[in-house]
Structures are given as C-alpha cells and as structure tokens.
Amino acid sequence: MAKKWVYLFSEGSADMRDLLGGKGAGCAEMTRAGLPVPPGFTITTEACNAYYDSGERFPDGMWEQAMDALKHVEGQTGKKLGDAANPLLVSVRSGAKFSMPGMMDTVLNLGLDPETVAGLAKLTDNPRFAYDAYRRFIQMFGKIVLDIAPELFEDQLEAAKQHSGSKTDADLDSDSLKTLVTTFKGIVKKETGEDFPDEPYKQLEQAIMAVFRSWNNSRAIAYRNNNNIPHSLGTAVNVQTMVFGNMGNDSGTGVAFTRDPSTGEKKLYGEYLLNAQGEDVVAGIRTPHHISEMEREVPRVYQQFAEIAQRLEQHYRDVQDMEFTIERGKLYMLQTRSGKRGADAAVKIAVDMVQEGLIDKQEAVMRVEAAQIDQLLHTRVDPNAKYKVIARGTNAAPGAATGQAVFTAATAEEWGKAGKRVILVRPKTDPEDYQGMIASQAILTSTGGATSHAAVVARGVGKPCVVGAEAIHVDEVAKRFSVDSVVVNEGDMITVNGTTGEVILGEVPMIPPEISSHLGQLLSWADDFRKLGVMANADYPRDSEKARELGAEGIGLCRTEHMFMEVDRLPIVQQMILAKDQDTRQRCLDKLLEFQRQDFIGILRVMHGLPVTIRLIDPPLHEFLPSYEELLVEVTTLRCTNGDPKRLKEREELLDEVAQMREANPMLGLRGCRLAILFPGITEMQVRAIFEAACILQKEGVEVHPEIMIPLVGHVNELRIERDKLEKVAKAVMQEQGVSVDYKFGTMIEIPRACLVANQIAEYAEFFSFGTNDLTQMGFGFSRDDAEGKFLLKYVEDGILPFNPFQTLDRDGVGELMRIAIERAKTTRPDIKLGICGEHGGDPASIELCHELGLTYVSCSPFRVPVARLAAAQAALTKGEKDR
Ligand code: PEP
Ligand code: MG
C-alpha cells in the first residue's frame, strides 16, 4: 500500500506533532474533541522531506491522497473547489513540529478565479467582499508562490486608495477592487511572463510547493539555528476551509491566550478585530481591541469562546494560544497550541498549575526552560528614578533596556555586531526583521498589539518590548521618530520599559533583578530533585553575597589574581615582579599579604558554613605589567622627540624587563602551578593569607571551609611539589594561631594530559575541578583569545561545529576527557570531590552532561546560579526518566 502522506483532521491527534506539525495536530485534536474547526487536512512533514529528497517533486501518491481528502472536505462543507455556484476556498498554511511564528509562509483565499469570484459575490450578496478576497489572494500568491516583490502590489494598493480618496483598505469600493485585481494580474504577467493561474487545482499545487519551500527560506533557517530546532524536521502543510472574519460587523477574528503570556495571570488575554481577517491582527496594521471588550461587543460568541478556551487548557494541561474567526456570528477555532510565554509567566504558570492540581512538581520543574529564567533576573528601571516618559504602549515583553535608537533591522544588526547597545524602533516588525531584533537590546513599535510579530518574537528571545506606542510617529526614511515636539534621531539614547510599556528619553537608573516568590518556589522544588551541587564563581565579597542570595552552596572558583589587578595593589604587584633582590620582593609580598588576608576574610565570612574554593594565581606575570607594544611606542616616541631623559631611561628599563618576560604563546607558557614553582613566594603568601583569614574568623566563631586549588597541573610531580610546600605553610599558620581549620587541597583539571594521568594526580588531590575553558582550548587546540573572533563563529554558522564549544561542552571530545579523568581518579580515590568551574558550569546542556558524568557540583557566575539549579534538576529528572 502507498505511504500515507495526507491526514484528514478527523484522522489525526495531539500526539502526532512529529508527523502533522503543531498546527495540524492541534486542529486534529480539536476536531476530535467536537470543537467547531473548519474542515481540512494535513500533508505530513515526511512529505515535505520527501519533496526535497526527490528534487522538489511531490512524492508518489501524495497529490492523489490530497485530492481524496479534498473531496472529503467538499462533502463536509457542501462546497467545491472551482465551483462557480458554490466555491470552496481554502487556506494553505505551514506548520512545523515546533512553532516558528511568522517564519514560514501561508496562502489564504485559494480557489478564487474570475468565475468563482463572481459566484462568491452573488452568494454573499457582497461583491466588495468577494473582490477584496480576490485581490488579497493574488497579492499573497504573488509574493509567496511567485516570489514577486510585495511593494509592487502595495504601491498599487496605495495608488488605488489615493485615486478613490480612501483612507484605509476597507474604504475601497468593489469597482476600485475590481480594477486593482486587473492591475495585480498585470504585475504578475510582467514579473513572471505568465498569466496568473486561474485554475484552482494548479493554484493548490503551487501553493503546497511554496509552503514546502518556505521551510528553507533564510529567516526560517536563522530562526531554527537560534532556537536549536533541527533542520531535518520539515514542515507540514494544512489545507483548510476558509472562514471569513471580514463579512461585516457580526464577523471578526482574533488571537488569545488562556493566561497572560507576559505576567502569567489567569485570565483570557489577547486581541480581536471585528470585520477583519487574521492577517490584520497579526501584522499589526490596525490596532486591535483587547479580548475583554469582546464580551460587550459579541457576548454570546465570547461566552462560547471562553468555555472552549477553558476546556482546551484543561485538556492539554497547559496554556493555549488560540486563533479564532467569527463568520456571521458563528465561532470557528482555527488553531490551538501551547502558548509561548515570557520567563516571568512561565514560572508563575508552572507554579500556579501545581497549586491548581493540574500538573505535579516534577512537571512544573520540567516546564520552564532553564535558559529562560536568565531573563527573569532582568534589569528593571529603578522605581525611585525620575525620568521623562515620552510615550506609552503595550508592555509586550518584560525587562528594561537603554540603547541608541535605530530604525532598520539592518542597522540594528550592524551596530549590534560592532558592540553598540541599540533599540530597534519600527512602525511594526516583520519576519524579515528577526536578525535585527535579536541584535537589539529592546524593541519598540508604534502599532500592533501583544500578539503582533514584534511582541511574540521579543518574548521568545527575552528582549524587553513595547508595542503599539501610537503617540510616536516613526519616519523610517529620515531615521527618526517624533512624539509631539520631541524628536529622537538615529543614535539618540532611549530607554524602553517592557514591564510597564513606557518609552523614556535618555538613560535611566536601573536596578538589578531579584528572585520572585514564584521563582523561589520553583527553584526550591528543583533543589529537591537535583543531585548536582551548585556553587558560584566569585572573586569578591559582594559577588559572594549575591551568589549566596541566589542559592549558591559555596564558591567553586575564586580567581585570586583578580585581586592583584585592583588599582591600590597593582603598583605593589608590579614592584614585586620587577624586584631586583629578595628583600624588596619580600617587602612587596608582605604588603600584598595584608590585602589578600582582608579579601579572604571578606569572602569566607560571607560564605560562612560553606566551602570556598580558592584558586591560586594563574596568569603569567607579564599580564600585570604594561603592554610591550605600548611601551615600545612610548620609548620610540621619547627617543624621536628627545623627550624627558629620566622618563626615557625608566621606560627603557621597563621595556627590557617586559621583553624578557614575553612569550609567544602565553596561554601555554609560564602560568599556573609552573609560575608558582618558579616564584614560590607568591603562592606561599596567598596560602598564608587564606589560613590567617580562616583562623581569625574561626576564632570569631565563623565556620570556614577553605579549599586550596592549584591550577594548570599536567604532571603529578607539579602537584606533589606544590602541595607539599603549601601545606607546610598552612600547618605553620594554624600552629601559630593555635587553630585547626577544616581544609582541602585539590587541583584544576584543565590540561588533557592531566585527564589521562588522573589516577596519579588524585593521590595528591582531595578534589578535582574541571577547568573546561582551558580543557576546551587545549583539547581542541583552539586559542581561547582568538578562535571566536577568527574562525569559530564561522565554523558554527557553516555547521562544521554544532555549537560554540566554549559555551556548551563538547560531549564527544572534552566530555570524554572528563569521563576518563573521573574513571581513573576514582581508582585511586573513590570518594574524590568532582566539580566544574569553566564557563560551561552555567550552561544547561553542559550541566546535563555533568550530571551524567556524576560530578559533585557545577560552579558558575552568580547570576547563572538559578539557571544551574533548575538545569541540574531537569538533568536529574530526564536521566531518571531515561533509566526507567
Ligand atoms: C578554566 O580554564 O576553565 C578556568 C576556570 O580557569 P580560567 O578561565 O581562569 O583559565
Ligand atoms: Mg584555566
């Protein structure tokens, strides 16, 4: 039997998303549940892939199956495609497994030709409506299927309005629309060399192909890359009976969520327009009305809609995003799908649904994307700040941001890439603007509502967004916008507050985010499920405080050299490095000891009761000296200009010192434990400072657990020598102070060789912390400082690497080195404590790998601690599910 490529809505179900796409599966499920869905059928995602596999041809049997399904739909509706007396019109819509809002194409009103349009005019007794549908169809088909520049049609539409003195499209009468149809057909002929296809079956065939092709348009590809959606999924095509929301004031169309997708509040949220088609709402051309007004305008339909919405949410046990149309007082459901929501809403909805008994805690923890809660910790406008609000719009995506106003997506992208903070200001956004939107700090539009393209995309990517700020007049050509007498030009600073909907002139004081009670609840459930500990990378008491507040269970990495960089210490560090004799060097070290002791007292006090892993100095010493190149320029200039001889001599000497210390490959040079072995005074001073601090605090009754971490060990002897030497210092201090401190000695594992000899190294280390920044650098042989700028991003763009390995752990290579290290270390020390402190410690996918490898903890920057807590729980729950 031939493969089944086509499913009637009545043959599908919600669990067939892979095959039918989200939209197809949603329509099928609603049809089965007896909801009013316009009849239709779905051509599968497999058919799309087969279409590509066979060189852009329909697979065998697909078209015949589509024709059978069409006959069925004709039977259900009593209408026929191409029948002048009672024409069936259909929409042809894309619909992939994962929603890709606005990224792919749709054709509406298909089936119109010179005869059916006349039939439709007669049947509806509304020629204006029929010819409006026809001109929209030619316009859409021309753009999507025939690839004709949309402006060619839009310009003519504008001209027709001017000619007839119409203000909006809706004011054009049927004669003007008839003329427009002829004009549009002329455009098609001119641009393609062929007549517009009047044969409805031909139209259908071409439209299906165009939707298949839209899977691979550039914005769809970019969207999938940005959202990690595999390119191999393909899109389904839904062919569905058209219903019309533009048949008068008893008709309309809308989009609504069962809960507010921005705040999570449990109430219907969305917009509708009477006497309009779906595209009018989504495209933001007319500003729609809030759904609550529908209760007043069309109360009976509203009641029915509210009941269906409630039923759908209970059925799917999740927020639904629904599209509906009212045709002459009759409600039709066109789509339901899980509603995309902002991070705030995701957390509140998950927690509320547990409290409502709709889902359990595990499900709540799994429902919120770990990376998404990063946004929750978003910056807000300081409530005490005074500022000038120049306009207000709909608060479409939370958070606030300041940046330079730009008026095209291309500029946003260009300036964004150059490191500028920009805010994209547009009348409305289109799918073409996507790349510019993600390069911006925030998005502002003067039209459109909370379900417009700008709003949906901004929420998805976590950018603050204000839409429908109607008071602003955007002049795209002059690159400026104005509100009353205020004019904002390209490059001027503005602030957009997506939480309140305010548009503000200039910069505004912001405050860092805090954890809401809902997030606190969700994270505490996550803590119950996770096996991994979560620690923070923090170098200062204030960072440690933040880390603790966000739930860190200790410090996993304190990079001590950062303390050397502070202005009051750097001159002493430089003096120490350049010292000609031991006495001078020791005097400097003694001064530094004072500083470091205070630093450690600060951190250990904040982290009382919790482990604090202190990594001894790592970078090469010349990093603390002025740059060789700058010195060379200065010396040369002084020489050429006969400058101050004293200064010249001093700079020449310094240049000489720096030149001696220069290395061709500093990352592979005299750093980490190698430096400590050659200049023992520095790490001895550091360990003395740590233990003096610990003893002082312990005497005060503060519980301390310092863990000394030795970096860049590649050979066991390096660690053995260092540990022996430093533990002697530790013991001496404890003896002097008469205090015994609970401490550990361990090492970073960040050199591939160390992984292979981990069994030897584990003899001298009570803990390992994987330094995956260096391990990735040395595992791949990619310079950390150069690769990203030079070739790595291209590698990712071209698919040579699936992702940036400095962001997400490379499971097969670096992950394998870790696995070997763990396995071998445990043969020597079965209870060894294992952590990770590279940047990967805050990345959800890497955290999943860390869980699988059986690490004790992950350590990441303080603001990523909540993300890591949630990701660690999700890793444990996913693994539990897999093992079951
Ligand atoms: C690492 O290499 O992963 C690490 C944490 O150390 P640093 O980034 O300081 O080299
Ligand atoms: Mg390192």
Side-chain angles (χ1 to χ4, degrees):
M1 215 179 79
K3 192 172 169 69
K4 191 164 170 58
W5 302 109
V6 177
Y7 287 77
L8 288 165
F9 287 167
S10 53
E11 293 177 309
S13 68
D15 51 20
M16 291 169 72
R17 279 174 58 130
D18 285 344
L19 196 61
L20 304 181
K23 184 174 174 54
C27 281
E29 190 73 11
M30 288 197 294
T31 303
R32 279 156 58 105
L35 299 184
V37 179
F41 59 89
T42 306
I43 303 172
T44 63
T45 53
E46 287 179 349
C48 174
N49 286 332
Y51 170 81
Y52 280 109
D53 290 346
S54 56
E56 307 208 350
R57 282 189 39 244
F58 289 154
D60 285 349
M62 190 207 95
W63 180 250
E64 292 72 18
Q65 291 177 25
M67 288 304 97
D68 286 348
L70 184 67
K71 286 221 167 53
H72 199 92
V73 171
E74 288 176 338
Q76 281 176 289
T77 56
K79 300 175 180 182
K80 267 175 83 71
L81 192 71
D83 179 356
N86 193 11
L88 173 72
L89 302 189
V90 294
S91 61
V92 181
R93 293 172 194 262
S94 54
K97 176 178 181 184
F98 301 108
S99 157
M100 294 167 53
M103 297 298 144
M104 291 183 293
D105 292 332
T106 285
V107 178
L108 302 176
N109 302 347
L110 188 141
L112 284 170
D113 63 23
E115 282 164 25
T116 52
V117 74
L120 186 67
K122 205 159 140 213
L123 208 67
T124 55
D125 196 19
N126 190 344
R128 193 210 162 269
F129 159 74
Y131 284 95
D132 189 44
Y134 198 18
R135 73 91 191 157
R136 284 176 192 251
F137 169 55
I138 300 170
Q139 196 171 346
M140 221 174 200
F141 195 93
K143 173 181 168 197
I144 307 293
V145 182
L146 306 174
D147 234 357
I148 298 172
E151 309 81 73
L152 297 177
F153 298 110
E154 279 155 22
D155 291 350
Q156 289 303 326
L157 179 62
E158 237 1 85
K161 281 197 279 187
Q162 298 233 324
H163 184 73
S164 61
S166 309
K167 260 180 80 185
T168 70
D169 301 2
D171 300 330
L172 287 169
D173 62 16
S174 66
D175 282 341
S176 314
L177 289 163
K178 258 186 207 171
T179 314
L180 205 51
V181 163
T182 313
T183 316
F184 279 6
K185 285 189 169 181
I187 296 175
V188 171
K189 177 91 191 183
K190 182 157 176 276
E191 295 299 310
T192 65
E194 287 181 31
D195 288 327
F196 185 81
D198 274 339
E199 218 286 88
Y201 288 90
K202 189 91 209 137
Q203 295 171 356
L204 183 60
E205 185 189 349
Q206 292 190 13
I208 294 170
M209 286 190 181
V211 173
F212 279 159
R213 283 199 303 273
S214 71
W215 173 254
N216 277 333
N217 69 37
S218 61
R219 59 177 196 270
I221 293 172
Y223 184 88
R224 290 198 294 274
N225 284 339
N226 202 43
N227 289 276
N228 287 330
I229 298 176
H231 296 295
S232 59
L233 296 181
T235 180
V237 181
N238 299 289
V239 179
Q240 189 172 24
T241 309
M242 283 294 301
V243 284
F244 293 95
N246 55 343
M247 291 185 83
N249 281 335
D250 58 350
S251 302
T253 188
V255 194
F257 288 75
T258 51
R259 302 187 190 212
D260 185 327
S262 183
T263 65
E265 200 187 332
K266 191 177 178 189
K267 64 164 205 256
L268 270 181
Y269 177 93
E271 296 146 341
Y272 73 104
L273 271 175
L274 289 185
N275 200 10
Q277 278 204 309
E279 50 180 332
D280 299 331
V281 177
V282 178
I285 294 164
R286 277 162 64 189
T287 302
H289 299 199
H290 194 272
I291 198 88
S292 56
E293 283 176 48
M294 198 169 129
E295 194 168 10
R296 200 172 39 76
E297 284 201 299
V298 276
R300 199 183 46 78
V301 181
Y302 178 82
Q303 269 321 319
Q304 192 194 354
F305 178 68
E307 270 166 41
I308 289 175
Q310 171 89 9
R311 243 173 89 188
L312 284 170
E313 190 182 275
Q314 291 282 330
H315 180 75
Y316 285 100
R317 299 182 305 113
D318 199 4
V319 176
Q320 295 301 296
D321 165 0
M322 302 155 297
E323 279 176 30
F324 63 93
T325 286
I326 312 160
E327 187 181 272
R328 294 179 159 167
K330 182 164 167 32
L331 174 69
Y332 289 97
M333 298 300 296
L334 300 189
Q335 165 137 311
T336 191
R337 58 185 165 192
S338 153
K340 280 192 187 293
R341 60 211 83 168
D344 268 314
V347 171
K348 177 166 161 51
I349 290 166
V351 172
D352 285 352
M353 283 191 169
V354 172
Q355 272 143 15
E356 291 162 25
L358 221 51
I359 57 173
D360 61 19
K361 291 175 188 169
Q362 267 112 314
E363 195 158 355
V365 164
M366 291 306 291
R367 280 267 176 102
V368 179
E369 210 183 303
Q372 209 185 7
I373 65 168
D374 224 1
Q375 307 159 21
L376 264 192
L377 306 157
H378 39 229
T379 305
R380 292 175 300 144
V381 169
D382 183 344
N384 299 319
K386 298 241 177 308
Y387 52 79
K388 182 173 174 195
V389 175
I390 51 171
R392 277 173 213 279
T394 302
N395 49 341
T402 298
Q404 293 176 275
V406 293
F407 296 87
T408 66
T411 315
E413 231 188 325
E414 190 189 314
W415 289 23
K417 272 196 187 136
K420 293 186 183 171
R421 297 167 58 83
V422 299
I423 293 187
L424 181 62
V425 185
R426 309 267 311 139
K428 67 182 176 75
T429 63
D430 289 319
E432 285 81 28
D433 295 327
Y434 180 71
Q435 273 116 313
M437 294 169 79
I438 54 177
S440 307
Q441 305 298 317
I443 294 126
L444 167 64
T445 69
S446 55
T447 65
T451 49
S452 62
H453 179 265
V456 171
V457 173
R459 272 199 298 276
V461 297
K463 307 277 179 188
C465 178
V466 172
V467 295
E470 292 192 9
I472 71 171
H473 175 74
V474 181
D475 186 342
E476 290 171 75
V477 180
K479 296 188 177 166
R480 62 171 177 242
F481 75 80
S482 54
V483 198
D484 303 326
S485 59
V486 180
V487 176
V488 174
N489 292 302
E490 187 183 62
D492 289 353
M493 277 290 177
I494 56 167
T495 298
V496 164
N497 189 342
T499 310
T500 59
E502 292 165 330
V503 183
I504 299 158
L505 199 59
E507 281 190 63
V508 182
M510 303 268 183
I511 50 166
E514 64 190 353
I515 292 201
S516 71
S517 63
H518 282 94
L519 181 56
Q521 177 64 267
L522 188 79
L523 291 174
S524 85
W525 292 336
D527 291 343
D528 291 340
F529 299 126
R530 70 180 159 91
K531 302 273 182 298
L532 279 168
V534 177
M535 315 261 272
N537 294 356
D539 308 332
Y540 303 97
R542 62 176 182 276
D543 298 348
S544 311
E545 239 165 82
K546 188 82 219 164
R548 201 166 181 154
E549 190 188 308
L550 295 174
E553 296 157 302
I555 301 291
L557 174 65
C558 169
R559 290 177 165 106
T560 53
E561 63 273 5
H562 287 179
M563 303 162 177
F564 287 6
M565 294 286 188
E566 298 206 357
V567 277
D568 50 349
R569 301 138 193 229
L570 195 56
I572 308 169
V573 176
Q574 292 178 342
Q575 227 184 338
M576 184 258 307
I577 296 169
L578 300 170
K580 296 268 181 301
D581 59 84
Q582 190 48 36
D583 276 359
T584 317
R585 172 162 297 145
Q586 193 54 48
R587 267 200 306 281
C588 296
L589 285 170
D590 289 346
K591 278 192 211 156
L592 288 171
L593 174 69
E594 300 286 315
F595 283 119
Q596 289 250 285
R597 192 192 304 118
Q598 284 314 312
D599 293 332
F600 296 132
I601 286 179
I603 293 176
L604 288 167
R605 191 192 295 283
V606 171
M607 299 310 289
H608 60 91
L610 298 175
V612 175
T613 314
I614 301 168
R615 201 254 318 260
L616 303 178
I617 189 169
D618 183 15
L621 289 182
H622 58 76
E623 279 203 9
F624 302 100
L625 298 178
S627 103
Y628 174 80
E629 286 77 11
E630 278 169 25
L631 278 172
L632 191 61
V633 170
E634 191 182 346
V635 165
T636 312
T637 315
L638 284 168
R639 279 183 192 152
C640 295
T641 57
N642 292 326
D644 177 2
K646 192 164 154 254
R647 170 98 183 152
L648 175 61
K649 183 158 181 292
E650 182 198 303
R651 296 323 259 178
E652 277 174 340
E653 278 172 17
L654 187 56
L655 179 65
D656 205 33
E657 295 280 353
V658 173
Q660 281 178 39
M661 286 185 166
R662 269 181 107 207
E663 293 173 313
N665 291 308
M667 273 291 182
L668 304 179
L670 187 60
R671 55 177 283 226
C673 62
R674 305 163 195 170
L675 179 69
I677 290 168
L678 260 75
F679 297 88
I682 303 173
T683 46
E684 282 172 18
M685 175 279 288
Q686 289 191 302
V687 169
R688 170 162 283 280
I690 294 166
F691 278 83
E692 285 183 359
C695 291
I696 291 167
L697 288 173
Q698 198 153 307
K699 282 188 209 161
E700 282 180 25
V702 178
E703 188 186 331
V704 291
H705 302 282
E707 305 197 350
I708 314 302
M709 182 151 77
I710 295 166
L712 223 74
V713 166
H715 194 287
V716 61
N717 289 343
E718 292 174 311
L719 181 61
R720 187 175 51 76
I721 290 171
E722 269 302 282
R723 179 177 178 159
D724 274 2
K725 179 180 78 190
L726 296 173
E727 203 164 11
K728 280 197 187 95
V729 177
K731 286 186 173 145
V733 175
M734 288 188 286
Q735 203 162 25
E736 283 160 29
Q737 301 275 337
V739 174
S740 160
V741 171
D742 170 51
Y743 69 90
K744 286 190 173 62
F745 267 88
T747 181
M748 298 204 46
I749 297 290
E750 49 188 343
I751 290 185
R753 186 182 190 280
C755 296
L756 304 180
V757 296
N759 49 325
Q760 299 168 11
I761 292 178
E763 224 173 293
Y764 300 93
E766 281 130 309
F767 66 89
F768 279 2
S769 179
F770 287 99
T772 45
N773 301 335
D774 271 308
L775 200 55
T776 301
Q777 165 166 261
M778 295 186 223
F780 269 98
F782 286 168
S783 158
R784 275 164 77 165
D785 297 331
D786 303 309
E788 273 158 302
K790 293 275 193 296
F791 61 86
L792 201 47
L793 299 185
K794 173 138 181 67
Y795 264 34
V796 176
E797 254 171 50
D798 293 356
I800 296 171
L801 289 176
F803 42 72
N804 179 346
F806 287 110
Q807 280 172 356
T808 297
L809 267 175
D810 157 51
R811 181 177 278 266
D812 297 346
V814 179
E816 192 58 14
L817 285 168
M818 292 168 72
R819 197 187 57 71
I820 292 169
I822 293 165
E823 198 181 283
R824 297 190 182 172
K826 282 189 172 169
T827 60
T828 312
R829 195 186 286 269
D831 62 344
I832 188 162
K833 182 175 171 183
L834 298 163
I836 174 174
C837 62
E839 291 317 301
H840 307 87
D843 169 66
S846 310
I847 291 171
E848 188 172 353
L849 178 59
C850 293
H851 173 89
E852 285 169 32
L853 290 171
L855 295 195
T856 324
Y857 68 89
V858 295
S859 187
C860 56
S861 71
F863 276 105
R864 293 176 94 187
V865 164
V867 175
R869 287 164 68 191
L870 188 59
Q874 291 176 343
L877 290 170
T878 310
K879 179 87 181 2
E881 194 61 37
K882 275 193 207 145
D883 292 349
R884 213 174 292 144

